[in-house]
């Protein structure tokens, strides 16, 4: 199997794992928070990261992947930034209406496109931009209901968007710059993400819910759902780094909106959540945007691969002395140096001998 085919299969596998695990954990957490009253999202996320780190440590002990240390300052800064972005998103939800929080999540894609264009000189075609606009319009129709603005909530949302965009761009650039895999990066950054949220989580959750996470009544049912959530989170965290590393931060956000549409649909089917014509219309428009985005990304990827193949072939042709002799050099010799029929026939024989 060719390297390109293996890469495509790996990307499809990463996208599928991300969708399945993310939708599963959303449904699990929704039952945990809505039905069982455990609303300590930031603390729960810190437990997710601790379990992820422990799982990866076991995998390292079993030699399922290789530990590859790199710049410690980059790892620490990246881990803390990821933890801060998660905390800010939770604060944004606490200080804003649900509709404004959804608008905050929608703003991540255009912000990421802007940052990559300005600082990384990445180009997004008109077709890609149009498909992203269709996608955002559809998700907006499906999820945004009320828009209640306040100054502090707006500042928190702005900070949440910026830190999330930078963290996701760094997830992609660090893997490429230091030539580390998604597993190696996650293993090294996980402790710093976990400790950032583990220390700040109880305070943030108490501020947002007016409840103490340590005083909560942990019934066997609550503990079961927490354990399920933590186990699923290993797959969620791993697939997040894997998808961003194999594709791009923008593609990961597009995938995230696909998950939102699936969660809405599953919520209606499994949990009998309210569903109206706006949700249905928004999901269809969003799906159209995702199809267009996938089509244009695939088409542009194939075009770049073809151009790279042609350039590589051209370089190989220029560096091959035999091909050079048969084309440019041979033609000059034939014109500039007249020879007898016997000499020319002998030269033709030697050329045929080279080509064997």
């Amino acid at each position: 199997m060719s390297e390109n085919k293996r890469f495509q299969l790996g990307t499809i596998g990463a996208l599928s794992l991300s969708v399945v695990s993310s939708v599963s954990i959303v449904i699990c957490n929704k039952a945990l928070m809505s039905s069982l009253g455990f609303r300590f999202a930031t603390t729960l996320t810190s437990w997710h990261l601790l379990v992820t780190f422990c799982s990866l440590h076991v995998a390292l002990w079993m030699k399922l992947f290789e530990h590859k240390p790199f710049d410690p300052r980059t790892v620490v800064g990246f881990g803390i930034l990821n933890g801060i972005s998660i905390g800010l998103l939770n604060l944004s939800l606490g200080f804003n209406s649900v509709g404004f929080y959804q608008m905050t999540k929608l703003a991540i894609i255009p912000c990421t496109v802007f940052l990559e264009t300005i600082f990384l000189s990445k180009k997004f075609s008109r077709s890609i931009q149009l498909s992203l606009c269709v996608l955002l319009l559809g998700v907006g129709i499906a999820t945004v209901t009320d828009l209640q603005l306040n100054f502090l909530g707006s500042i928190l949302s702005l900070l949440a968007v910026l830190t999330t965009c930078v963290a996701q761009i760094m997830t992609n650039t660090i893997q490429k710059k230091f030539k580390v895999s998604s597993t190696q990066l996650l293993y090294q950054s996980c402790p710093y993400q976990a400790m950032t949220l583990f220390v700040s989580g109880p305070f943030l959750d108490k501020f947002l819910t007016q409840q103490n996470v340590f005083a909560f009544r942990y019934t066997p049912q609550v503990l079961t759902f927490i354990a399920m959530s933590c186990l699923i989170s290993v797959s969620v965290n791993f697939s997040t780094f894997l998808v961003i590393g194999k594709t791009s931060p923008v593609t990961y956000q597009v995938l995230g909106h696909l998950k939102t549409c699936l969660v809405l649909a599953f919520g209606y089917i499994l949990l009998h959540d309210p569903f109206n014509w706006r949700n249905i219309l928004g999901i269809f428009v969003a799906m159209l945007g995702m199809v267009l985005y996938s089509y244009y990304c695939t088409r542009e990827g194939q075009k770049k691969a073809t151009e790279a193949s042609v350039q590589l072939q051209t370089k190989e042709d220029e560096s091959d002395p035999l091909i050079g002799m048969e084309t440019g050099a041979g033609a000059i010799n034939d014109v500039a140096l007249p020879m007898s029929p016997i000499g020319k026939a002998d030269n033709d024989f030697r050329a045929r001998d080279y080509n064997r």
Side-chain angles (χ1 to χ4, degrees), residues 27-40 211 216-229:
I27 294 173
C28 179
N29 288 347
K30 191 167 185 179
L32 180 63
M33 295 181 182
S34 300
S35 304
L36 301 176
F38 187 88
R39 298 187 295 153
F40 309 104
Q211 295 180 18
F216 188 80
R217 184 170 174 267
Y218 291 89
T219 64
Q221 191 176 14
V222 170
L223 292 174
T224 300
F225 272 91
I226 290 175
M228 288 172 55
S229 180

Side-chain angles (χ1 to χ4, degrees), residues 22-23 47 57 90 109-110 122 127 141 157 172 180 206 220 234 278 297 302 304 328 337:
S22 295
V23 172
W47 296 348
H57 196 68
N90 289 337
I109 284 184
K122 188 172 181 179
S127 302
I141 293 172
S157 294
N172 182 271
V180 293
K206 187 173 183 179
V234 177
R278 281 190 58 185
C297 281
Q302 290 174 345
K304 289 179 181 177
L337 301 176

Side-chain angles (χ1 to χ4, degrees), residues 274-347:
F275 213 64
N276 54 41
W277 66 269
R278 281 190 58 185
N279 300 128
I280 298 172
L281 175 62
I283 288 174
F284 274 112
V285 174
M287 288 297 181
L288 174 62
M290 290 174 204
V291 170
L292 291 173
Y293 178 80
S294 301
Y295 170 74
Y296 289 128
C297 281
T298 303
R299 191 177 70 173
E300 291 182 11
Q302 290 174 345
K303 183 179 178 182
K304 289 179 181 177
T306 303
E307 290 174 353
S309 177
V310 170
Q311 289 177 357
L312 181 61
Q313 185 63 41
T314 303
K315 289 180 180 179
E316 289 177 352
D317 291 347
E318 290 174 351
S319 63
D320 193 330
L322 298 181
I323 296 176
M325 184 187 71
E326 291 174 0
T327 54
I332 292 172
N333 288 338
D334 286 345
V335 173
L337 301 176
M339 59 179 66
S340 65
I342 296 175
K344 190 172 188 306
D346 185 59
N347 188 55

Side-chain angles (χ1 to χ4, degrees), residues 30-190:
K30 191 167 185 179
L32 180 63
M33 295 181 182
S34 300
S35 304
L36 301 176
F38 187 88
R39 298 187 295 153
F40 309 104
T42 309
T43 303
L44 181 62
T45 305
S46 71
W47 296 348
H48 287 170
L49 291 164
L50 286 172
V51 171
T52 299
F53 175 73
C54 292
S55 302
L56 289 176
H57 196 68
V58 172
L60 179 64
W61 177 73
M62 295 173 65
K63 297 183 179 180
L64 296 178
F65 72 96
E66 180 184 354
H67 180 47
K68 185 180 179 181
F70 60 98
D71 186 14
R73 288 181 299 178
T74 301
V75 174
V76 174
F78 172 70
I80 293 175
L81 179 64
N82 261 299
I84 291 173
S85 70
I86 294 170
L88 285 171
L89 281 171
N90 289 337
L91 280 173
S92 174
L93 179 59
F95 277 89
N96 293 300
S97 63
V98 175
F100 191 80
Y101 175 73
Q102 291 296 338
M103 285 294 294
T104 299
K105 291 174 68 177
L106 291 178
I108 293 175
I109 284 184
C111 183
T112 302
V113 170
F114 175 77
L115 291 176
E116 288 194 311
T117 302
I118 297 298
F119 295 104
L120 300 180
S121 302
K122 188 172 181 179
K123 295 181 180 179
F124 295 86
S125 67
R126 296 280 185 182
S127 302
I128 294 289
Q129 294 176 19
L130 176 63
S131 63
L132 290 174
C133 290
V134 174
L135 165 67
L136 295 176
L137 175 64
V139 177
I141 293 172
T143 61
V144 178
T145 51
D146 56 328
L147 288 175
Q148 299 175 11
L149 303 179
N150 65 80
F151 180 75
L152 180 58
S154 300
I155 296 297
L156 289 171
S157 294
L158 177 63
L159 292 174
V161 169
L162 289 175
T163 53
T164 301
C165 291
V166 173
Q168 291 182 0
I169 292 172
M170 285 181 68
T171 303
N172 182 271
T173 54
I174 287 175
Q175 291 184 52
K176 291 180 171 143
K177 179 180 178 181
F178 295 100
K179 294 180 173 58
V180 293
S181 68
S182 55
T183 310
Q184 291 167 334
L185 178 58
L186 179 60
Y187 175 71
Q188 294 187 65
S189 63
C190 229

